[in-house]
């Protein structure tokens, strides 16, 4: 379902930059053609799962992801 790129747990600790490195959408839109750049979360599930793995540590929001100290996240949206 994608990742919400505006979620604060996908920002650097000082909130100055995104920790989502890149993304790719493989899901068809209403016209039958996927928009590769539109990997925004439409259901919340992808953001939740990605946060469990890679949420930013020490940002006073929720809990850190198990790999939160690593560089960033790559978002791939598919069925």
């Amino acid at each position: 379902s994608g990742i919400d790129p505006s979620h604060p747990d996908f920002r650097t600790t000082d909130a100055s930059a995104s920790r989502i490195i890149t993304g790719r959408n493989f899901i068809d839109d209403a016209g039958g053609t996927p928009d590769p750049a539109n990997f925004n979360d439409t259901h919340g599930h992808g953001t939740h799962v990605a946060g469990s793995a890679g949420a930013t540590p020490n940002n006073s929001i929720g809990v850190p992801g198990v790999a939160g100290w690593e560089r960033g996240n790559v978002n791939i949206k598919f069925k």
Side-chain angles (χ1 to χ4, degrees):
S1 67
I3 296 175
D4 177 1
S6 67
H7 194 285
D9 263 335
F10 298 113
R11 306 294 298 172
T12 55
T13 303
D14 65 0
S16 64
S18 176
R19 294 183 67 238
I20 299 174
I21 299 169
T22 188
R24 177 74 160 86
N25 176 21
F26 293 96
I27 297 177
D28 294 346
D29 63 11
T33 305
D35 175 1
N38 182 11
F39 54 82
N40 293 336
D41 192 353
T42 53
H43 302 289
H45 177 75
T47 300
H48 174 84
V49 172
S52 297
T56 302
N58 294 332
N59 67 351
S60 302
I61 300 169
V63 298
V66 296
W69 293 103
E70 299 300 319
R71 185 175 184 285
N73 300 290
V74 174
N75 183 8
I76 299 173
K77 185 174 179 177
F78 62 92
K79 285 186 191 181

